[in-house]
């Protein structure tokens, strides 16, 4: 039977109060938002905390807004909020589509984007996409606010640059300029993604204006950027250029054998999903 | 606040406001079942099967992985509320028409998930229904009758509007 | 549908529907008993070890803890159970035999207190060599898991194979006739191969749970048991009680599929109650349920010899089943696998040996299909492989060899009560076999006939009440299959009552008469027949008392729907009872089925499986999508067609899980995936868009109105059908399930242009 150990529950009503609690409790306190990852880990006894700080009552941490060429997503915004946000659908449709396919509806209704990043479970969908989109994580702490690119925030499996006295307050995603598209393709053999590949690039006809951003998620402990230089100025139908990038993706990852597949298979899938993501961004009707 | 491991909460459970002293480590599922609301069932305990689904502010959640303290200031609805006025919900009627159940252990969660879907989207496609039910496991039926029932309920509800 | 039937043959709504859609249907997990406390098992962290000591003091001193129960603490009670051989201790005695085995039971006032205290129990082990793999366990130098063998109980109703067992053999069954070696030598083609069927977890969504209490010297248990009467026998033996003083009650059950056959957690709850004097609930988590029972994995070596024209000349099967730590039901599965693997074909020479082997893994027992899916994977795939190599259409190949109606499959057993050739034609017609197929797609199908493991012992009681309504008492459990609905229909039909004037009592060994088990499709067929007999008996009583009241000879009283005619005058049941008793009263009829007369020949009926799929394979990723599923429900008569469709689709979907994603995986000495996150069962998106659930009603079964079985058949050929379909799509016939994307991708890689043999 899965049970929780006793803990104290703090429910600050403002970001300032939440930060005071963070500073006071340090690593004895866990930040709690949707709980979809944290409560599971607590129930299984993988993690144990004396304090949970519920940040859902901090109004500063919720909502999706357009701010100066970016979309600012409050850390406690749920996947379901993002899936249904008209603003996101208009400005970042690929992220909205990704959010529609995160886990299941119950997890989307409770789980938050900030929690997803801060928990840093490697087999997650959003980090690869946010990396490709050049998104930044906004962190608040005693010393003030700082921003880090997502790829500098996620350091490894369950490991981030978040300080014990800090909170993730928002994810800031630049709105891609006109002509730039993004897509995310994934394959899941079990519950979580086995391989997820995000691509962002400027496409005219079937040609990439510059090298697209290609990021492989869920295979390694953190999202990895693939060198897609061979596709700069190349058509997606240029098999040599395409396969060079696919090969680069395969070479880049360092998968491990686990229940979702062997390292060999995951390396192979990384190539397949990378190719399909690149084809999909040019031709959204291509098979996934 | 929070000198102890319990929390006083006030929330609406099936339309009735209740104030409870909640043990922080209590999960919503355990509290609901202790209150006699045993339609929501424990099964996987890991948010994948959907047997414990209840609606929290209208959206489906896994009561097995939701702190009971979350009901503070919020609205919880369980299967028991659906026919509180003596008539079945159209989703329940449709499940009966389509024989969309066998052992019935997943049924309350399926019904609550379907009801939440139709509240969010009164006119879902078959693909939308499958997508919403993807997180709800049924081991008996093979799902087809459940999907049919949800689409049928959607139509009945649209006509009644 | 023959129109003389008023209720039978119609899709009347399920009687349990309203209770289930409102969440009010009570399951064992929903019951509470006053004073109830909670037991949580402490489980072994070794696969094979001697228990040196169990340190329980810290746990016993923990808040709200009543007791920590161990096998030693309840001595001299013998805590072992088992219906074939009594070798399975409810709590490990001096040795643990698998990782996850219960070692102690912590009983506390709340589940949380019990769970927290359970973490304080320290078990000191002296590790022994463990053997996880069945092939290794068969070797001479393998550690011996049961050095002190327990003699089998010798239940005459169980087909449990040979008795003289050595080494790590849990059971061995052989079947054979003819001269296999000569026939193989003369064959134009011998197809030979090895096949692997995974060990599975049935994932009934309500995990095993039970509440036990001792009330006035009677042990009362509410549980999820499929077979309450079998559990009663185990408990009676364990506690030295007469059967009359053990009462097992089974409310609605959240899924069975065979996983809840036989004894599971009932002894744990009963031991807790015996020690503490309180009613004790033991409710397992899904992870614990996965550590309780699984199905037998099978490694099958098979050879099939054919003449050039496709005639089967000989078949040989050598099967090793991984049966886990204890005997449980594996000997019966072993015997059934032996009977079922060579298929419903006319085979002149057969040699089958199935060995069930002990390993230090979760004990295996029943699961839907019961050896048939394992056997069919090899047996049916070899029909497809032979067809390919002989350039004969695989439908024609099967038609050339399939048994005709009435023909024997097994010597001295009941002949087949079905027209399998016609079923196969319907199946392949629906699948579009022979027509054009899109690249990357494949069609696969299979045919099976299982000798139903349904020993014909069934007793039923019908009570005709003063208002003319009737209730039936049967020991069959309602697992979701719709037994209460179907049995109500049978009673209504026999007594001429409207459906809503009939009720069926929940199984309760203290109140309902004996029913051997609920499984193998026996409820509609055998309980249906005992219930028909009970209805006839109560009708006889009605005529008898009506004649006595009227002062006429009993022959002057004639049955009418819901009443009788007495000298031309209609008396309905209420009137008969009123005239006989004056006030109140009821008439009781009893019916029995036993192994005699028309039930002498075994099996009582054959469970037919004819299922197929159309699949699409993404060869680059290995992902298999099922585009179409067809099942042929050859059920004799569908007492309730909608329920039969539900059984067929549900069974087939369970088969798709085993075919495509489900497998319990051992990582070293422990299960690597004891949860439904990593053990993937079919989801809504896995159901094919095209479903054809065909019904065949030839009224050729022994059950009421000609009924036969349903609910296993559709599953049995699915694994082989999916493998064949994938094989045709990628050009290599897979020999191992599940066909995970990686496995299919690897097969597609190794293809060398022709189908592997």
């Amino acid at each position: 039977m899965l049970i929780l150990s006793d803990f104290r529950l703090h429910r600050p009503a403002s970001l300032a109060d939440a930060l005071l609690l963070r500073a006071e409790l340090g690593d004895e306190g866990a930040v709690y938002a949707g709980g979809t990852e944290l409560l599971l880990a607590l129930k299984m006894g993988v993690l144990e905390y004396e304090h949970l700080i519920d940040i859902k009552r901090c109004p500063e941490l919720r909502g999706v807004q357009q701010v100066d060429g970016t979309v600012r997503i409050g850390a406690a915004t749920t996947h379901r909020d993002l899936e249904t946000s008209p603003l996101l659908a208009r400005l970042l449709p690929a992220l909205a589509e990704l959010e529609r396919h995160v886990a299941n509806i119950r997890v989307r209704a409770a789980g938050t984007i900030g929690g997803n990043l801060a928990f840093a479970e490697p087999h997650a969908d959003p980090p690869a996409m946010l990396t490709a989109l050049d998104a930044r994580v906004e962190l608040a702490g005693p010393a003030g606010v700082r921003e880090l690119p997502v790829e500098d925030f996620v350091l490894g499996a369950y490991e981030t640059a978040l300080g014990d006295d800090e909170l993730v307050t928002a994810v800031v995603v630049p709105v891609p300029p006109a002509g730039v598209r993004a897509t995310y393709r994934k394959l899941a053999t079990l519950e979580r993604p086995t391989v997820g590949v995000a691509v962002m690039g400027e496409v005219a006809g079937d040609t990439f204006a510059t090298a697209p951003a290609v990021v492989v998620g869920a295979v390694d402990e953190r999202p990895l950027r693939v060198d897609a230089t061979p596709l700069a100025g190349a058509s997606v139908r240029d098999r040599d250029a395409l396969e060079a990038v696919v090969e680069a993706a395969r070479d880049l990852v360092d998968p491990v054998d686990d229940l979702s597949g062997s390292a060999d298979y995951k390396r192979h899938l990384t190539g397949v999903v990378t190719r399909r993501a690149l084809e999909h961004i040019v031709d959204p009707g291509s098979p996934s | 606040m929070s000198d102890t491991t319990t929390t006083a909460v006030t929330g609406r459970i099936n339309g009735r406001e209740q104030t409870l002293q909640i043990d922080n480590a209590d999960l919503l599922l355990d509290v609901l079942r202790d209150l006699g609301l045993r339609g929501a069932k424990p099964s996987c305990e890991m948010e994948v099967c959907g047997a414990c689904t209840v609606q929290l502010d209208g959206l489906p959640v896994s009561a097995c992985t939701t702190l009971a303290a979350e009901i503070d200031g919020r609205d919880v609805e369980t299967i028991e509320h659906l026919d509180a006025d003596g008539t079945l919900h159209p989703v329940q009627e449709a499940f009966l028409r389509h024989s969309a159940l066998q052992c019935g252990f997943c049924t309350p969660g399926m019904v609550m998930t379907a009801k939440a879907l139709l509240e969010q989207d009164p006119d879902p496609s078959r693909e939308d229904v499958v997508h919403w039910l993807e997180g709800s496991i049924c081991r008996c039926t093979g799902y087809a009758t459940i999907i049919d029932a949800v689409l049928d309920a959607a139509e009945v509800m649209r006509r009644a509007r | 549908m023959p129109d003389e039937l008023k209720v039978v043959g119609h899709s009347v709504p399920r009687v349990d529907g309203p209770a289930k859609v409102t969440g009010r249907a009570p399951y064992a997990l929903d019951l509470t008993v006053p004073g109830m406390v909670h037991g949580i098992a402490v489980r072994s962290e070794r696969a094979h070890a001697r228990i040196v000591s169990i340190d329980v003091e810290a746990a016993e001193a923990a808040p709200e803890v009543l007791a920590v129960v161990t096998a030693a603490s309840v001595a001299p009670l013998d805590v072992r159970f088992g219906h074939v051989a009594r070798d399975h201790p409810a709590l490990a005695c001096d040795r643990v035999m698998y990782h996850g085995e219960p070692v102690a039971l912590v009983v506390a006032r709340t589940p949380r207190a019990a769970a927290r205290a359970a973490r304080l129990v320290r078990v000191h082990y002296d590790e022994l060599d463990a053997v996880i793999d069945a092939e290794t366990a068969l070797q001479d130098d393998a550690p011996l898991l049961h050095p002190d063998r327990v003699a089998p109980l010798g239940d005459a109703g169980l087909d449990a194979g040979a008795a003289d067992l050595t080494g790590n053999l849990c059971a061995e069954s052989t079947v054979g006739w003819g001269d296999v070696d000569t026939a193989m030598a003369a064959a134009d083609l011998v197809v030979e191969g090895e096949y692997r069927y995974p060990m599975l977890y049935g994932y009934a969504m309500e995990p095993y749970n039970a509440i036990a209490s001792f009330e006035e010297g009677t042990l009362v248990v509410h549980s999820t048991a499929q077979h309450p009467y079998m559990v009663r026998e185990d408990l009676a033996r364990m506690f030295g009680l007469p059967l009359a003083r053990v009462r097992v009650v089974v409310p609605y059950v959240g899924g069975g599929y065979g996983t809840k056959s036989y004894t599971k957690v009932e002894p744990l709850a009963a031991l807790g109650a015996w020690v503490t004097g309180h009613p004790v609930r033991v409710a397992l988590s899904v992870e614990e349920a996965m550590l309780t029972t699984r199905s037998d994995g099978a490694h099958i070596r098979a050879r099939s010899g054919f003449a050039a024209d496709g005639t089967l000349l000989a078949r040989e099967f050598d099967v090793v089943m991984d049966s886990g730590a204890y005997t449980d039901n594996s000997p019966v599965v072993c015997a059934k696998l032996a009977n079922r693997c060579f298929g419903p074909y006319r085979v002149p020479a057969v040699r089958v040996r199935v060995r069930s082997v002990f390993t230090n893994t979760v004990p295996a027992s029943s699961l839907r299909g019961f050896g048939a899916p394992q056997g069919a994977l090899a047996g049916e795939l070899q029909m497809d492989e032979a067809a390919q190599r002989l350039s004969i259409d695989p439908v024609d190949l099967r038609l050339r060899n399939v048994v005709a109606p009435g023909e024997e499959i097994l010597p001295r057993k009941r002949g087949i009560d079905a027209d399998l050739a016609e079923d196969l034609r319907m199946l392949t017609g629906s699948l579009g076999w022979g027509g054009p197929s899109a690249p990357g797609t494949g069609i696969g199908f299979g045919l099976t006939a299982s000798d139903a493991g349904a020993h014909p012992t069934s007793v039923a009681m019908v009570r005709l009440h003063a208002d003319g309504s009737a209730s039936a008492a049967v020991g069959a459990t309602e697992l979701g299959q719709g037994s209460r609905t179907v049995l109500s229909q049978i009673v209504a039909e026999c007594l001429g009552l409207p459906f809503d004037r009939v009720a069926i009592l929940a199984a309760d060994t203290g109140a309902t008469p004996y029913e051997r088990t609920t499984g193998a499709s026996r409820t509609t067929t055998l309980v249906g027949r005992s219930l028909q007999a009970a209805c006839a008996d109560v009708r006889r009583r009605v005529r008898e008392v009506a004649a006595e009241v009227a002062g006429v000879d009993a022959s002057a009283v004639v049955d009418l729907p819901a009443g009788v005619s007495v000298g031309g005058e209609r008396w309905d049941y209420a009137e008969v009872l009123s005239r006989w008793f004056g006030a109140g009263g009821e008439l009781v009829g009893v019916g029995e089925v036993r192994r005699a007369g028309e039930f002498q020949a075994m099996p009582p009926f054959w469970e037919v499986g004819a299922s197929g799929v159309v699949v699409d394979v993404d060869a680059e990723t290995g992902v298999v999508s099922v585009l179409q599923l067809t099942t042929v429900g050859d059920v004799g008569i569908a007492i309730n067609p909608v329920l039969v469709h539900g059984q067929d689709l549900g069974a087939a979907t369970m088969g798709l899980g085993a075919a495509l994603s489900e497998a319990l995986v051992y990582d070293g000495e422990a299960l690597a995936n004891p949860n439904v996150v990593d053990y993937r069962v079919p989801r809504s998106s896995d159901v094919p868009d095209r479903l054809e659930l065909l019904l065949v009603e030839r009224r050729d079964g022994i059950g009421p109105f000609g009924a036969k079985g349903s609910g296993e058949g559709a599953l049995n050929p699915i694994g082989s059908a999916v493998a064949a379909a994938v094989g045709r799509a990628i050009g290599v016939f897979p020999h191992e399930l599940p066909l995970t994307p990686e496995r299919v991708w690897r097969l597609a890689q190794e293809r060398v242009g022709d189908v592997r043999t």
Side-chain angles (χ1 to χ4, degrees):
Chain A
M1 180 190 184
L2 301 178
I3 51 156
L4 293 169
S5 296
D6 284 330
F7 57 86
R8 295 182 184 186
L9 181 63
H10 307 268
R11 299 185 296 171
S14 71
L15 177 58
D17 288 349
L19 286 171
L20 285 175
L21 282 162
R22 279 293 272 168
E24 183 191 328
L25 299 172
D27 64 4
E28 287 179 9
V31 179
Y32 162 71
T36 56
E37 301 275 17
L38 179 67
L39 291 181
L40 274 188
L42 294 175
K43 285 206 302 188
M44 293 191 285
V46 180
L47 294 177
E48 201 166 326
Y49 289 99
E50 279 175 48
H51 303 268
L52 295 196
I53 306 168
D54 179 358
I55 55 161
K56 287 192 295 295
R57 286 153 193 260
C58 305
E60 301 91 331
L61 300 181
R62 300 207 72 143
V64 185
Q65 296 161 293
Q66 189 173 2
V67 182
D68 301 335
T70 67
V71 175
R72 186 179 189 282
I73 304 169
T77 307
T78 64
H79 299 294
R80 176 67 183 166
D81 290 338
L82 295 174
E83 175 188 351
T84 55
S85 159
L87 189 70
L88 209 66
R90 186 159 52 82
L91 299 177
L92 296 165
L95 181 59
E97 179 64 13
L98 173 149
E99 288 291 345
R100 179 174 136 84
H101 294 279
V102 167
N104 61 48
I105 182 60
R106 299 180 305 279
V107 169
R108 293 197 294 279
T112 65
I113 188 75
N116 185 284
L117 287 172
F119 203 80
E121 150 69 57
H123 303 95
D125 294 307
M129 185 80 214
L130 292 170
T131 301
L133 291 170
D134 294 322
R136 300 184 300 276
V137 183
E138 183 189 279
L139 307 172
V145 174
R146 62 179 178 136
E147 273 191 16
L148 280 177
V150 166
E151 56 197 311
D152 295 340
F153 175 74
V154 180
L155 301 178
Y158 312 104
E159 202 187 335
T160 68
L162 183 71
D164 281 343
D165 53 2
E166 284 184 308
L167 280 174
V168 176
T169 48
V171 180
V172 179
V173 191
V175 176
V180 173
R181 295 186 208 159
T183 191
Y184 179 72
R185 305 276 100 191
K186 69 170 164 178
L187 197 141
T189 53
L190 291 171
E191 191 64 22
R192 294 176 183 272
T194 306
V195 177
V197 177
V199 174
M200 181 179 75
E202 186 181 348
V203 183
D206 59 9
T207 300
F208 289 100
T210 56
V214 178
V215 181
V216 178
V219 180
D220 283 68
E221 293 193 346
R222 51 191 297 271
L224 298 177
R225 257 181 208 275
V226 180
D227 177 7
T229 315
L231 275 171
S235 160
V236 79
R237 288 177 234 294
D238 177 343
R239 296 321 282 185
D240 289 344
L242 182 65
E243 289 309 317
V245 175
V246 167
E247 196 57 44
R250 270 201 295 260
D251 288 347
L252 181 67
V253 293
D254 185 16
V256 293
D257 293 342
D258 62 19
L259 288 166
S260 68
S262 70
D264 281 358
Y265 177 62
K266 285 192 264 188
R267 185 182 299 283
H268 162 77
L269 273 189
T270 300
V272 175
V273 180
T274 299
R275 182 188 306 114
R276 290 181 182 185
L278 287 164
E279 286 169 346
H280 186 262
I281 201 169
V282 173
D283 174 13
S286 70
S288 56
Chain B
M1 131 186 196
S2 160
D3 294 332
T4 69
T5 57
T6 65
T7 302
V9 301
T10 300
R12 289 166 76 83
I13 300 175
N14 290 339
R16 196 163 69 87
E17 190 162 284
Q18 298 200 38
T19 298
L20 301 166
Q21 191 70 30
I22 295 281
D23 195 330
N24 294 340
D26 275 345
L27 296 165
L28 178 57
L29 181 60
D30 300 327
V31 167
L32 292 173
R33 288 178 62 85
D34 285 348
L35 289 171
L37 302 169
R38 295 187 187 144
K41 307 295 184 197
S43 188
C44 78
E45 299 187 81
M46 299 179 84
E47 305 171 289
V48 296
C49 80
C52 68
T53 303
V54 300
Q55 281 177 264
L56 188 60
D57 289 343
L59 285 175
V61 296
S62 299
C64 76
T65 312
T66 301
L67 293 184
E70 286 294 343
I71 67 173
D72 201 16
R74 301 174 78 180
D75 218 318
V76 183
E77 189 175 19
T78 73
I79 187 82
E80 286 83 0
H81 193 233
L82 268 57
D83 62 341
D85 65 354
T87 54
L88 295 180
H89 188 277
V91 171
Q92 293 172 308
E93 294 277 10
F95 269 59
L96 291 179
R97 271 198 307 283
H98 290 265
S99 202
L101 60 99
Q102 288 183 29
C103 86
F105 204 74
C106 76
T107 309
M110 285 285 181
V111 168
M112 293 309 287
T113 305
K115 172 175 165 286
L117 164 63
L118 300 184
E119 286 164 3
Q120 297 274 316
D121 178 1
D123 191 10
S125 66
R126 192 173 186 90
E127 192 224 317
D128 293 334
V129 173
V130 169
H131 181 64
W132 263 69
L133 296 181
E134 188 68 2
S136 297
I137 293 174
C138 172
R139 283 293 265 172
C140 295
T141 64
Y143 300 103
T145 52
I146 296 174
I147 297 163
D148 291 343
V150 176
L151 287 166
D152 188 6
E155 196 175 330
V156 168
M157 288 168 74
R158 283 199 305 277
R159 281 209 197 119
R161 209 160 273 143
Chain C
M1 187 47 47
D3 48 21
E4 76 268 23
L5 296 175
K6 299 275 191 297
V7 190
V8 161
H10 299 269
S11 295
V12 302
R14 298 181 66 101
V15 296
D16 52 358
K20 287 179 175 176
V21 297
T22 54
R24 295 197 175 85
Y27 299 81
L29 203 53
D30 300 326
L31 305 179
T32 54
V33 171
M36 184 175 84
V37 296
H38 303 266
I40 299 265
V42 177
R43 290 174 183 274
S44 169
E45 290 172 354
R46 302 286 186 280
H48 194 199
R50 197 161 296 287
I51 297 173
V52 176
S53 62
I54 304 175
D55 181 356
V56 301
E57 275 141 42
E60 279 183 333
E64 302 187 280
V65 171
L66 298 170
V68 180
V69 183
T70 65
S73 78
V74 296
L77 272 192
D78 181 348
V79 298
R80 292 173 300 173
F81 64 89
H83 57 288
V84 177
R86 194 181 165 191
D87 67 1
H88 191 159
L91 291 166
C93 298
D94 55 338
R95 266 193 311 157
V96 291
M97 294 282 284
Y98 70 96
H99 198 283
E101 177 169 12
V103 174
L105 183 78
V106 177
V107 182
R109 296 201 183 276
T110 67
R112 190 185 296 161
R116 287 178 179 176
R119 293 176 183 168
L120 303 174
V121 174
R122 293 281 169 271
V123 185
H124 302 283
Y125 298 103
D126 187 0
E127 228 160 307
L128 299 169
D129 286 342
V131 56
I132 301 300
D133 168 70
E135 306 279 342
T136 313
L138 279 174
Q139 289 166 12
D140 288 340
D141 57 351
L144 199 55
L145 302 195
H146 289 274
D148 306 313
R149 256 179 203 281
V150 176
L153 292 169
D155 185 323
L158 294 171
D159 186 358
D164 52 335
L165 300 164
T166 57
N168 285 319
L169 272 187
C170 165
E172 177 166 337
S173 283
T174 56
V175 172
W177 58 81
D179 183 344
V180 169
D181 296 327
T182 306
M184 287 287 185
D188 294 307
L189 171 72
V190 176
V191 178
E192 190 164 357
E194 293 189 30
Y195 305 80
R196 287 176 190 274
Y197 198 88
M199 53 172 98
L200 301 172
Y201 166 58
Y203 190 31
M205 290 184 71
E206 182 187 16
Y208 305 118
N209 68 91
I211 307 169
S213 56
F214 285 88
E215 297 170 17
E216 297 170 0
T218 295
L219 170 56
V220 181
V221 178
H222 289 78
S223 101
T224 47
Q226 264 184 257
H227 306 344
Y229 296 82
M230 289 283 191
V231 173
R232 178 181 66 161
E233 289 179 32
D234 271 326
L235 293 173
R237 277 191 289 265
M238 190 176 293
F239 292 94
L241 291 168
L243 293 180
R245 286 203 170 272
V246 180
R247 183 177 160 216
V248 182
V249 187
V250 181
Y252 289 122
V253 180
Y257 330 112
T259 68
K260 289 172 181 163
S261 302
Y262 308 105
T263 299
K264 308 293 178 203
V265 294
E266 296 84 359
L268 283 179
L271 288 167
W274 194 78
V275 168
T276 64
H278 290 269
V280 172
R281 159 173 281 155
V282 173
L284 301 192
S285 65
V286 162
E287 175 165 357
E288 290 180 288
M290 295 176 96
L291 297 172
T292 302
T293 301
R294 61 170 174 84
S295 72
D296 293 90
H299 178 194
I300 304 149
R301 294 175 184 84
R303 296 167 76 211
S304 298
F306 294 85
D309 67 357
T311 304
L312 257 173
L313 301 177
R315 304 200 88 169
E316 180 173 18
F317 291 78
D318 188 5
V319 185
V320 174
M321 284 175 22
D322 180 342
S323 297
Y326 296 109
T327 298
D328 287 7
N329 208 40
S330 287
V332 186
V333 176
C334 179
K336 289 300 178 191
L337 206 169
N339 286 348
R340 295 168 179 181
C341 58
F342 51 87
Y345 303 110
R346 204 176 296 124
V347 196
V350 168
R351 183 161 63 216
V352 178
R353 175 176 68 161
V354 185
R355 287 174 292 172
S356 156
V357 182
F358 289 122
T359 58
N360 292 113
T361 61
V362 173
S365 197
S366 313
L367 180 66
R368 205 174 202 171
F370 221 92
Q374 292 96 321
L377 177 67
E380 282 298 275
L381 267 180
Q382 290 205 330
M383 299 301 278
D384 290 312
E385 294 179 49
Q388 174 106 11
R389 289 174 60 186
L390 293 168
S391 300
I392 297 175
D393 184 292
V395 178
D396 294 339
L397 184 88
R398 286 175 171 85
L399 291 175
R400 173 174 288 278
N401 294 291
V402 73
V403 289
E407 194 172 341
E408 275 183 357
I409 294 174
L410 283 159
R412 296 172 303 282
K413 298 267 183 174
R414 186 184 300 271
I416 182 83
D417 47 359
D419 186 345
L420 298 177
E422 188 50 34
D423 294 346
L424 181 63
R425 287 190 197 99
M426 285 176 68
L427 171 66
T428 51
S430 156
L431 292 167
W433 177 255
S437 63
T441 68
I443 296 174
F445 46 86
L447 193 60
T448 59
S450 293
D451 53 326
H455 189 84
T457 304
S458 174
V459 184
M461 203 163 76
V462 170
R463 299 162 58 193
L464 191 58
H465 302 287
D467 65 352
S469 67
S471 54
V474 293
T477 45
E478 174 58 88
L479 313 166
Q481 79 280 45
S483 60
R484 291 192 201 172
T485 306
V486 166
L487 297 175
S488 297
Q489 286 179 268
I490 292 169
V491 173
E493 191 71 52
C494 293
L495 297 181
L497 290 172
F499 181 63
D500 59 5
R501 302 277 289 168
V502 175
I504 304 277
L505 222 61
D508 175 346
T509 66
T512 52
Y514 181 85
E515 185 56 40
R516 194 170 161 81
T517 61
T518 298
S521 299
R522 64 178 290 125
T523 301
T524 297
T525 49
L526 301 180
V527 181
R529 285 294 302 268
S530 64
L531 205 45
Q532 270 188 315
C535 289
D537 191 45
V538 83
R539 277 212 174 246
R540 179 187 59 77
R541 285 288 293 147
V542 171
R543 290 194 304 274
E544 215 169 74
V545 302
E548 190 171 331
V549 167
V552 300
D553 192 84
S555 60
V557 182
V558 179
D559 284 342
L560 292 176
V564 287
S565 159
V566 183
E569 187 184 337
R570 180 190 162 84
W571 294 1
D572 62 21
Y573 293 142
E575 190 166 352
V576 176
L577 266 77
S578 162
R579 287 174 185 249
W580 172 250
F581 285 106
E586 68 181 50
L587 293 175
V588 179
V590 176
E592 291 159 351
V593 163
R594 65 190 187 96
R595 196 173 166 203
E598 61 179 314
F599 293 102
Q600 181 65 42
M602 292 293 276
F605 57 91
W606 289 84
E607 174 105 11
V608 173
S611 307
V613 292
V614 181
V615 304
D616 174 83
V617 181
D618 178 346
E620 215 180 8
T621 60
V623 172
V624 177
S625 309
V626 182
L627 306 177
Q628 178 178 343
L629 166 73
T630 299
T631 60
V632 178
D634 182 344
V635 296
I637 179 175
I639 306 244
N640 187 315
V642 163
L643 293 190
V644 175
H645 287 317
Q647 283 298 300
D648 284 347
L649 178 56
T653 302
M654 202 165 259
L656 290 178
L660 293 172
S661 63
E662 294 181 35
L664 290 171
V665 178
Y666 264 85
D667 178 13
E669 299 189 345
L671 269 182
N673 57 347
N675 58 69
V676 282
V677 175
D678 297 320
Y679 181 94
R680 190 182 169 83
V681 301
R683 304 296 180 82
S684 53
S685 64
D686 296 319
V687 180
D689 287 340
R690 297 204 304 273
L691 290 175
E692 296 252 6
L693 308 173
L694 308 176
L695 274 182
V696 178
E697 299 179 279
R698 303 190 187 98
R699 293 210 181 195
D700 42 9
I702 199 167
F705 313 99
K708 295 184 289 188
S710 163
E712 281 191 29
L715 179 155
N716 293 337
I718 287 284
S720 60
V722 172
V726 169
R728 292 187 178 112
I730 65 173
V732 189
F733 282 123
H735 284 196
E736 183 171 2
L737 302 182
L739 292 167
T740 58
E742 177 165 1
R743 188 162 281 147
V744 173
W745 169 71
R746 285 191 184 284
L747 275 173
Q749 296 299 106
E750 76 185 43
R751 171 169 53 125
V752 273
D754 204 352
V755 166
R756 191 178 74 174
T757 58

